[in-house]
Amino acid sequence: MNENISVDEVMRITHKSREFIINAIENGSFPGSFTKTKNGTRCVHIPRKAFEEYMNHFYRKTSDELIIALVDELTRKKA
């Protein structure tokens, strides 16, 4: 298995754009990931294990139940 995960694969998993992912890496949001420039080309390194740990422990996708509860609460307050 490849030690790194590609930006394309991260895009498919997170449903985020390439720019979003690279910006997240550069601002430190993806632990263990980094970019470096080699011969004028930016290379992105995302260790698969660090990304999987991030997704399993820190990344929480908003659940449908939470969205429904928030809409219900906002509707109730408005009425």
Side-chain angles (χ1 to χ4, degrees):
M1 175 166 63
N2 190 347
E3 291 182 23
N4 289 319
I5 186 170
S6 70
V7 173
D8 289 336
E9 193 172 351
V10 173
M11 289 170 53
R12 282 192 300 277
I13 292 168
T14 62
H15 305 285
K16 302 292 184 190
S17 70
R18 179 176 300 280
E19 294 78 24
F20 180 92
I21 293 164
I22 291 173
N23 285 336
I25 292 167
E26 290 178 339
N27 75 27
S29 295
F30 281 175
S33 301
F34 63 94
T35 62
K36 69 178 181 179
T37 304
K38 185 176 181 179
N39 299 325
T41 302
R42 181 170 52 184
C43 298
V44 179
H45 297 275
I46 308 169
R48 185 174 298 276
K49 183 176 180 179
F51 177 74
E52 289 172 354
E53 286 178 12
Y54 168 79
M55 292 301 291
N56 289 328
H57 294 93
F58 301 107
Y59 179 76
R60 296 289 182 242
K61 195 173 187 178
T62 306
S63 70
D64 290 340
E65 293 84 15
L66 178 57
I67 293 170
I68 292 167
L70 288 171
V71 169
D72 289 345
E73 181 67 17
L74 291 172
T75 302
R76 186 180 63 77
K77 284 184 178 182
K78 201 173 192 182

